[in-house]
Amino acid sequence: MNKLRTKGAVWAIGTAAAILILSVLALMLGRYQLSFSQVMQTLLHPGADHGMAGNVVFNIRLPRILISLLAGAGLATAGAAFQAVFSNPLAAPDTLGVATGASFGAVLGILFGLPSLAIQTSALVFGLAAVGLVYLVGHSRGGASPVMLILSGIVISSLFSALVSLVKYSADPQDVLPAITFWLMGSLSSVTRETLYTGAPFLLTGILLIFLLRWKLNALSLPQEEAQSLGVPVVRIRTAVILAAAMITAAAVSMCGLIGWVGLLVPHIARMIFGSNNQRVVPASIGFGAVFLLVIDTAARCVSAAEIPVSILTAIIGAPFFILLLRRTGGFRL
């Protein structure tokens, strides 16, 4: 036990240090490069006039860094929660159709030319509506079983995916369709402080709720009758975790578009290091997810003159790494 605590403490300190160092590097790097002293002066004296450096740090890069940290931590947490709730190693934040529902809300807003804040709000509303539909479809006299929820999620996800395709088919191919396509590929290029203010409360609330319930996630892997005999309110915990994960996913998609692999890959890395105990997997997923998406987003805006959509890099890096992980472990552990 002491060894596990020491190992966890070392990884926690290392992850926190990595987030701090990488955040400073992300503030420095970009098409308009800043020195370390410029970044420190700007951060330590926010009220002073720093000219272009102040505008770049406070209005462009700092909100983007904070969103990448929150979205990465949130998506990884949601993925770990879904994998535990459904006892499915391939479960991801978009398992219940939340991501496609949020995508439909966003592309609908883009089609009608709504401002960015309205587009984000539309994505949040439709993402949460999608999980409501999943519960409505999957609910039976015996309640909403995990299998019924997954099947309902597949149906609702397919429905919203078809609606997204319908919007793309109806969009102006000169102006609107490219904007929809770029948004669906996932990017943090258009985020602002307003984007952060709107989405961060949902992300933080969902992450905190799953973090507080992390020790009960282990009981959800047991048969429902056995878990209930231990005094665990399975249905209430499952519902709370699913709603928290759906809130996280909808908020992340509303801010950044569709970003894959974070919620699938990062929890498995956490399990490879800390085992299958969700008391350690959830906190590790929060830290690793934040670092992973921060690194990917910084690379996306720095490796070429034209910014690369984040989801392309997550797939390029995530797919080979996932294959390597599968080969090393010989399978998945939950």
Side-chain angles (χ1 to χ4, degrees), residues 65-92:
I65 290 169
L66 292 175
I67 288 176
S68 66
L69 291 172
L70 283 174
L75 290 172
T77 305
F82 275 136
Q83 289 167 15
V85 166
F86 297 117
S87 299
N88 186 343
L90 297 180

Side-chain angles (χ1 to χ4, degrees), residues 15-325:
T15 303
I19 290 174
L20 180 62
I21 294 171
L22 292 170
S23 296
V24 173
L25 286 175
L27 287 171
M28 296 168 57
L29 298 175
R31 299 181 71 178
Y32 183 82
Q33 294 198 4
L34 299 172
S35 65
F36 178 77
S37 60
Q38 284 179 299
V39 170
M40 289 296 101
Q41 285 292 327
T42 304
L43 292 176
L44 294 175
H45 304 90
D49 183 12
H50 299 285
M52 180 64 74
N55 181 57
V56 169
V57 169
F58 289 117
N59 295 326
I60 300 175
R61 291 184 187 167
L62 189 58
R64 182 166 181 164
I65 290 169
L66 292 175
I67 288 176
S68 66
L69 291 172
L70 283 174
L75 290 172
T77 305
F82 275 136
Q83 289 167 15
V85 166
F86 297 117
S87 299
N88 186 343
L90 297 180
D94 57 350
T95 298
L96 298 185
V98 183
T100 50
S103 298
F104 173 68
V107 299
L108 198 63
I110 296 173
L111 178 67
F112 290 122
L114 299 180
S116 58
L117 185 59
I119 292 172
Q120 186 179 356
T121 304
S122 176
L124 272 169
V125 170
F126 276 94
L128 296 176
V131 76
L133 285 174
V134 168
Y135 260 91
L136 184 63
V137 173
H139 192 274
S140 61
R141 291 183 180 179
S145 67
V147 174
M148 285 297 294
L149 288 176
I150 291 176
L151 292 176
S152 301
I154 294 173
V155 173
I156 298 302
S157 180
S158 298
L159 173 62
F160 278 111
S161 180
L163 292 174
V164 169
S165 298
L166 180 62
V167 172
K168 291 172 66 177
Y169 178 78
S170 305
D172 182 357
Q174 297 297 322
D175 300 319
V176 180
L177 184 58
I180 290 175
T181 303
F182 185 77
W183 188 90
L184 288 173
M185 288 191 292
S187 175
L188 281 75
S189 60
S190 60
V191 299
T192 61
R193 284 188 291 182
E194 288 71 24
T195 306
L196 177 65
Y197 298 152
T198 304
F202 293 93
L203 282 168
L204 290 172
T205 301
I207 292 171
L208 179 61
L209 183 57
I210 293 175
F211 180 82
L212 294 176
L213 294 175
R214 67 192 186 280
W215 67 275
K216 294 185 178 180
L217 289 174
N218 295 326
L220 295 183
S221 61
L222 300 172
Q224 184 166 329
E225 294 78 9
E226 185 176 345
Q228 289 175 336
S229 68
L230 297 174
V232 178
V234 175
V235 176
R236 281 188 292 173
I237 293 174
R238 182 188 297 140
T239 302
V241 171
I242 288 175
L243 289 178
M247 190 187 306
I248 290 170
T249 306
V253 172
S254 72
M255 293 191 299
C256 316
L258 288 173
I259 298 177
W261 286 99
V262 179
L264 179 63
L265 178 64
V266 173
H268 285 296
I269 296 175
R271 288 191 183 91
M272 184 176 66
I273 297 172
F274 295 103
S276 58
N277 188 346
N278 287 294
Q279 286 185 269
R280 297 182 179 86
V281 169
V282 170
S285 297
I286 293 173
F288 294 169
V291 170
F292 180 73
L293 193 56
L294 176 61
V295 171
I296 292 295
D297 180 58
T298 304
R301 61 184 177 82
C302 294
V303 296
S304 66
E307 183 169 325
I308 302 173
V310 174
S311 61
I312 293 177
L313 287 183
T314 57
I316 290 174
I317 295 173
F321 195 90
F322 201 68
I323 294 172
L324 177 64
L325 183 65

